[in-house]
């Protein structure tokens, strides 16, 4: 029966047990001998003809005992069969054995004939016969035992044969004899178990338990968590029939998660195995589930679903980060038992006292057990008192750099307030956490020293601010400085107005020349600066989202930020608008305009805004002189300002910047810059269309909004 790569369980004998089966790679039968012996396996099977028993002409090798073992023979890593390994233990029988007994009994000297036989090696041909349902095989093993080992006794060595293929639930019989046969055949009969085969496989985050069983076989399956002490914790149980697949999430795996399988028959044998003991995912899950828990008044336990090797120690965690400083005196690093109460040798708790749990010298958990009841970490200094002989004692303050002796001239925080800490300790302002013959621990508040230090810092900041203010007043008395501040203020006001406004440009991609013209306009507007969004610069997003979704997102973002949508009309855009107004959306599907034409897709949202009167203040229009007259724009879209570019560029820029735009002179200057940027693109567009361009003769009018 082929099986997946990992065999979980197999019951042998009359009592429950688990056998981790050895895996043999390859289909070739093999034989091996115990040290000192030599053996050879004949190629192919032989005839199973034991023959009659004959007398031994002298000392001979004969089978003395048979031993069987189940193994897996695998064609590949994921394709295995059940196989029976046979070990034949050999012994020396015959005249040599009888003479050796007489010599030992009567003390007679060995004869020369006996001495010669002792110096000769013994050879034997051992036959192994295997019989199962519809299967019979016989193999021949040639074995040679050197003279030094060919002595009478219970065993002269052994030879192991791999292996006879078997099936689940089969009854197998194995015989062993020699050719010629000097004694009655040895035989053994074994009934192989009929339990389902269990295999485990991983697919991403899922773990599958596959049970290979006959269609009609009924069996029980239980998942439980084994415990070193006490009864196991049941987790899942089902009665099943036939092949089954049970799916577990990888987060359910634990080292103590075990599987038990048994046939639903009276007095059936139950097989148990725990396949995840060394699984890295199961170990990670166990540490994630483990939690130290405080038990009043002065004890704690490590709550975990499985037992694990761990050691714990106390540490002091100062606020502001940094490593937790181990405290060896009160709680030295020691092994702990999961789910068993551990005593704290402390007088009282503190928020900064934490438990560190390590495994194999690697920190796994750190928990400040008193933080829930006593509040967050405190800015306290831990004083460590060490007591020696003759009532000598020393004090040091625990810091990140180590334990600073008190008093000290070091430059650490504790050394600077060392005298004050000693006074607080003597006056009883420090909290004693632990005390015994070896020393004590004290937690001394540092809040008052921190407040005093910050008071000095604030005083210094106020002095610096006063000096800067005085210097500024002196500078303001000079006329050049005043002029510079006025220019700075004016530039800031204009920049703040333009920088904060978003503008979405919509256009119809009539041809490459018009697209270049739109790109030049967008680049010039960015230099004002405005935050410009245009389909020409978002082709990748447009392809990924689609024109309609891209426009929806850009329009919503622009209007939510108080921006404006600018419609750049061209002959193609006007024709498309008229089609929508006359025939509806079906007349101008976006796909017909190209994969990147956001203008065609946007009309389904733009038209309702104009038809329902929501466009003023949110939309503006524009067209380029020489390409389209403003009167050619459909009347519905002229409910918002439609500017003719470049003559009305100042008004157009003012509309884009919104009501915060001020300063006609500055707007005119900005408009001249935009016009100079647009000029090459305009000329190129007219040449491409074959229309006479106005070139440098174009002029910017002041517009109705400028004086």
């Amino acid at each position: 029966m082929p099986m997946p790569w990992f065999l979980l369980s197999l019951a042998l004998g009359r009592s429950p047990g688990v056998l981790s089966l050895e895996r043999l790679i390859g289909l070739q039968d093999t034989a091996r001998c115990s040290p000192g012996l030599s053996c050879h396996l004949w190629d192919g099977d032989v005839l199973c003809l034991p023959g009659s028993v004959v007398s031994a002409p002298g000392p001979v090798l004969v089978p003395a005992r048979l031993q069987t073992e189940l193994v897996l023979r695998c064609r590949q890593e994921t394709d295995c069969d059940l196989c029976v390994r046979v070990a034949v233990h050999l012994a020396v029988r015959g005249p040599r054995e009888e003479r050796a007994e007489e010599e030992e009994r009567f003390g007679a000297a060995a004869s020369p004939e006996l001495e010669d036989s002792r110096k000769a090696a013994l050879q034997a041909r051992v036959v192994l016969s295997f019989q199962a349902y519809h299967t019979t095989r016989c193999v021949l093993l040639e074995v040679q035992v050197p003279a030094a080992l060919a002595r009478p006794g219970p065993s002269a060595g052994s030879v192991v044969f791999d292996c006879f293929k078997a099936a689940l639930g089969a009854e197998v019989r194995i015989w062993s004899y020699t050719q010629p046969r000097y004694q009655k055949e040895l035989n053994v009969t074994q009934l192989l178990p009929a339990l389902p085969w269990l295999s485990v496989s991983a697919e991403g985050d899922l773990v599958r338990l596959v049970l290979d069983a006959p269609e009609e076989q009924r069996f029980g399956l239980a998942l439980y968590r084994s415990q070193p002490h006490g009864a196991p914790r049941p987790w899942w149980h089902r009665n099943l029939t036939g092949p089954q697949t049970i799916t577990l999430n990888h987060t359910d795996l634990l080292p103590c998660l075990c599987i038990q399988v048994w046939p639903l028959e009276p007095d059936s044998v139950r097989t148990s195995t725990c396949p995840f003991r060394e699984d890295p995912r199961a170990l990670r899950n166990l540490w994630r589930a483990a939690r130290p828990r405080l038990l009043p008044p002065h004890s704690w336990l490590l709550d975990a679903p499985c037992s694990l090797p761990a050691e714990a120690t106390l540490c002091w965690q100062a606020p502001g980060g940094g490593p937790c400083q181990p405290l060896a005196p009160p709680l030295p690093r020691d092994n702990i038992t999961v789910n068993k109460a551990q005593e704290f040798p402390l007088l009282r708790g503190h928020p900064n006292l934490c438990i560190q749990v390590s495994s194999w010298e690697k920190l796994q958990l750190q928990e400040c057990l008193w933080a829930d009841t006593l509040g967050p970490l405190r800015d306290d200094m831990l004083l460590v008192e060490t007591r020696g002989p003759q009532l000598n004692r020393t004090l040091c303050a625990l810091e990140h750099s180590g334990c600073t002796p008190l008093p000290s001239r070091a430059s650490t925080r504790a050394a600077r307030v060392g005298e004050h800490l000693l006074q607080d300790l003597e006056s009883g302002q420090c909290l004693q956490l632990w005390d015994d013959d070896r020393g004590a621990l004290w937690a001394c508040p540092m809040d008052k020293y921190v407040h005093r230090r910050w008071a000095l810092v604030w005083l210094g900041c106020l002095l610096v601010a006063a000096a800067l203010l005085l210097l500024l007043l002196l500078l303001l008395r000079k006329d050049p400085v005043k002029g510079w501040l006025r220019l700075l203020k004016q530039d800031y006001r204009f920049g703040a107005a333009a920088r904060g406004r978003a503008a979405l440009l919509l256009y119809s991609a009539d041809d490459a020349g018009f697209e270049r013209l739109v790109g030049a306009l967008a680049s010039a507007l960015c230099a004002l600066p405005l935050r410009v969004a245009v389909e020409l610069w978002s082709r990748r997003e447009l392809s990924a989202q689609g024109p309609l979704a891209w426009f929806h997102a850009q329009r919503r973002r622009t209007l939510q930020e108080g921006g404006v949508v600018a419609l750049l009309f061209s002959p193609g855009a006007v024709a498309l608008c008229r089609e929508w107004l006359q025939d509806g959306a079906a007349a101008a599907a976006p796909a017909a305009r190209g994969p990147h034409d956001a203008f065609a897709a946007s009309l389904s949202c733009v038209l309702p805004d104009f038809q329902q009167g929501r466009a003023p203040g949110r939309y503006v229009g524009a067209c380029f002189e020489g390409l389209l007259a403003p009167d050619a724009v459909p009347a519905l879209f002229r409910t918002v300002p439609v500017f003719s570019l470049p003559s009305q560029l100042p008004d157009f820029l003012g509309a884009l910047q919104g009501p915060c735009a001020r300063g006609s002179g500055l707007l005119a200057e900005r408009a001249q810059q935009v016009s100079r940027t647009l000029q090459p693109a305009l000329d190129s567009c007219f040449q491409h269309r074959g229309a006479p361009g106005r070139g440098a003769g174009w002029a910017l009018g002041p517009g109705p909004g400028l004086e």
Side-chain angles (χ1 to χ4, degrees):
M1 178 186 296
M3 295 174 293
W5 67 274
F6 183 48
L7 184 66
L8 294 183
S9 63
L10 181 66
L12 295 176
R14 294 297 303 168
S15 60
V18 179
L19 181 64
S20 179
L21 299 188
E22 181 181 344
R23 293 156 52 86
L24 307 177
I25 304 299
L27 302 180
Q28 188 69 30
D29 293 338
T30 60
R32 64 181 187 276
C33 305
S34 58
L37 278 66
S38 60
C39 55
H40 170 68
L41 173 66
W42 278 38
D43 295 335
D45 293 354
V46 298
L47 294 177
C48 301
L49 299 174
S52 303
V53 177
V54 298
S55 300
V60 293
L61 278 176
V62 294
R65 182 166 57 92
L66 291 179
Q67 185 177 357
T68 61
E69 179 185 1
L70 291 182
V71 296
L72 291 178
R73 166 167 283 174
C74 303
R75 300 173 181 82
Q76 298 176 353
E77 195 69 19
T78 59
D79 187 8
C80 301
D81 292 315
L82 185 64
C83 208
V84 180
R85 169 185 288 168
V86 183
V88 183
H89 296 269
L90 304 171
V92 178
R93 296 287 186 268
R96 176 183 296 186
E97 179 182 12
E98 298 173 358
R99 293 182 184 179
E101 293 177 356
E102 293 178 358
E103 183 179 298
E104 182 178 355
R105 184 182 306 170
F106 301 107
S111 63
E113 180 181 358
L114 182 59
E115 288 294 336
D116 293 340
S117 65
R118 285 179 176 178
K119 296 179 181 179
L122 293 181
Q123 294 183 351
R125 290 185 174 184
V126 180
V127 177
L128 286 178
S129 177
F130 175 84
Q131 183 176 351
Y133 183 69
H134 286 321
T135 301
T136 300
R137 289 189 61 194
C138 286
V139 296
L140 180 61
L141 303 169
E142 289 187 346
V143 186
Q144 180 172 325
V145 180
L149 300 179
R151 296 179 180 178
S155 178
S158 62
V159 58
V160 178
F161 170 75
D162 286 327
C163 60
F164 294 115
K165 181 181 176 181
L168 280 173
E171 182 181 76
V172 299
R173 296 180 180 180
I174 301 172
W175 290 268
S176 179
Y177 51 88
T178 58
Q179 286 185 347
R181 186 158 62 95
Y182 300 115
Q183 65 178 20
K184 186 178 180 180
E185 310 102 309
L186 291 181
N187 67 83
V188 62
T189 301
Q190 185 172 0
L191 181 63
L192 301 186
L195 287 178
W197 291 106
L198 256 70
S199 62
V200 62
S201 61
E203 295 181 9
D205 291 340
L206 299 180
V207 177
R208 303 187 186 279
L209 303 179
V210 181
L211 291 94
D212 190 359
E215 293 287 343
E216 68 281 356
Q217 184 177 3
R218 299 178 66 249
F219 57 91
L221 176 69
L223 301 179
Y224 66 93
R225 294 173 181 174
S226 64
Q227 303 296 321
H229 306 288
R233 298 180 184 177
W235 185 50
W236 187 87
H237 169 264
R238 291 288 188 279
N239 291 334
L240 305 171
T241 302
Q244 298 287 337
T245 299
I246 292 91
T247 301
L248 303 176
N249 197 289
H250 73 98
T251 56
D252 297 327
L253 303 185
L254 291 171
C256 61
L257 181 61
C258 301
I259 306 168
Q260 191 175 74
V261 184
W262 66 95
L264 294 179
E265 300 172 357
D267 301 326
S268 60
V269 175
R270 295 197 174 200
T271 299
S272 298
T273 186
C274 305
F276 307 109
R277 292 190 185 277
E278 304 298 330
D279 194 308
R281 297 171 299 178
L283 292 173
R284 286 195 298 268
N285 293 339
L286 176 57
W287 280 112
R288 288 171 184 161
R291 284 292 177 271
R293 186 156 56 90
L294 189 63
L295 300 177
H298 299 298
S299 60
W300 71 284
L301 62 79
L302 181 60
D303 193 358
C306 307
S307 62
L308 46 82
E311 23 180 54
T313 186
L314 272 177
C315 65
W316 179 264
Q317 180 65 64
C324 197
Q325 302 291 328
L327 301 176
L331 185 63
R333 185 178 296 273
D334 196 7
N335 294 331
I336 58 174
T337 303
V338 172
N339 301 323
K340 180 181 178 182
Q342 316 285 330
E343 290 296 326
F344 270 134
L346 296 172
L347 297 177
R348 52 182 57 86
H350 192 279
N352 296 28
L353 283 175
C354 305
I355 285 285
Q356 284 184 336
V357 182
S358 305
S359 178
W360 306 110
E361 299 184 355
K362 180 181 179 181
L363 179 62
Q364 299 287 355
L365 293 174
Q366 179 176 312
E367 194 81 19
C368 298
L369 300 179
W370 287 273
D372 292 337
T373 56
L374 300 181
L377 299 178
R378 299 175 186 171
D379 190 16
D380 291 357
M381 183 67 66
L382 186 70
L383 301 186
V384 180
E385 178 183 345
T386 305
R387 295 168 184 166
Q390 300 178 358
L391 301 179
N392 293 332
R393 76 167 190 169
T394 59
L395 280 168
C396 65
L398 191 63
E399 300 184 279
H400 293 315
S401 58
C403 208
T404 305
L406 296 181
S408 173
R409 295 183 178 180
S411 59
T412 64
R413 179 190 183 199
R416 287 192 291 267
V417 295
E419 294 292 344
H420 301 287
L421 289 175
L422 293 176
Q423 293 175 8
D424 293 344
L425 180 62
E426 295 298 332
S427 61
Q429 299 183 41
C430 297
L431 180 67
Q432 189 175 27
L433 306 178
W434 169 72
D435 184 27
D436 72 356
D437 296 339
R438 294 172 293 171
L441 294 178
W442 306 83
C444 299
M446 294 286 289
D447 294 343
K448 54 185 177 181
Y449 306 115
V450 174
H451 294 161
R452 184 182 306 169
R453 183 181 63 181
W454 280 111
L456 295 176
V457 172
W458 279 111
L459 180 59
C461 292
L462 289 176
L463 292 176
V464 172
L468 291 176
L469 182 59
L470 180 60
L471 180 62
L472 185 60
L473 290 175
L474 293 176
L475 290 175
L476 289 177
R477 300 185 64 180
K478 297 183 178 180
D479 293 337
V481 175
K482 292 181 181 179
W484 177 79
L485 289 176
R486 283 194 299 269
L487 292 176
L488 181 63
K489 181 179 179 181
Q490 183 180 15
D491 186 68
Y492 169 78
R493 290 169 61 187
F494 177 80
R499 191 177 299 113
R501 197 92 192 275
L504 172 61
L505 304 185
L506 293 179
Y507 70 98
S508 175
D510 290 3
D511 50 49
F514 189 74
E515 279 198 309
R516 284 193 295 270
L517 180 59
V518 172
L521 176 62
S523 300
L525 294 179
C526 287
L528 291 184
L530 283 168
R531 289 185 290 115
V532 179
V534 63
E535 168 262 334
L536 185 63
W537 296 344
S538 306
R539 292 288 169 82
R540 181 176 297 179
E541 297 178 16
L542 204 66
S543 299
Q545 301 176 12
L548 187 59
W550 178 86
F551 170 73
H552 269 294
Q554 295 295 330
R555 171 182 171 275
R556 182 175 61 254
R557 184 183 303 114
T558 301
L559 297 181
Q560 285 178 350
E561 295 176 358
V564 63
V565 179
L567 303 177
L568 303 181
F569 289 99
S570 64
V574 169
L576 188 59
C577 292
R578 287 173 177 166
E579 290 178 9
W580 273 80
L581 292 172
Q582 292 174 3
D583 302 327
R593 303 287 301 176
H596 304 304
D597 194 347
F599 188 85
S602 67
L603 288 179
S604 61
C605 296
V606 170
L607 284 176
D609 286 346
F610 279 88
Q611 291 169 344
Q612 299 172 16
R614 298 194 302 264
R618 306 166 75 183
Y619 290 82
V620 296
C623 57
F624 293 97
E625 296 170 355
L627 295 180
L628 186 73
D631 295 339
V633 176
L636 177 65
F637 295 96
R638 293 202 298 272
T639 56
V640 299
V642 178
F643 302 100
S644 180
L645 305 183
S647 62
Q648 293 182 326
L649 260 176
D651 292 337
F652 180 63
L653 297 183
L656 293 182
Q657 295 174 21
C660 296
R662 297 179 183 178
S664 58
L666 193 55
L667 274 179
E669 182 181 352
R670 298 289 186 179
Q672 291 289 349
Q673 295 176 359
V674 174
S675 177
R676 286 193 294 269
T677 304
L678 286 179
Q679 192 65 54
L682 283 167
D683 294 342
S684 174
C685 184
F686 284 125
Q687 292 174 4
H688 180 76
R689 290 172 177 255
R694 298 175 63 175
W698 287 5
L700 291 174
L706 300 176
E707 298 177 359

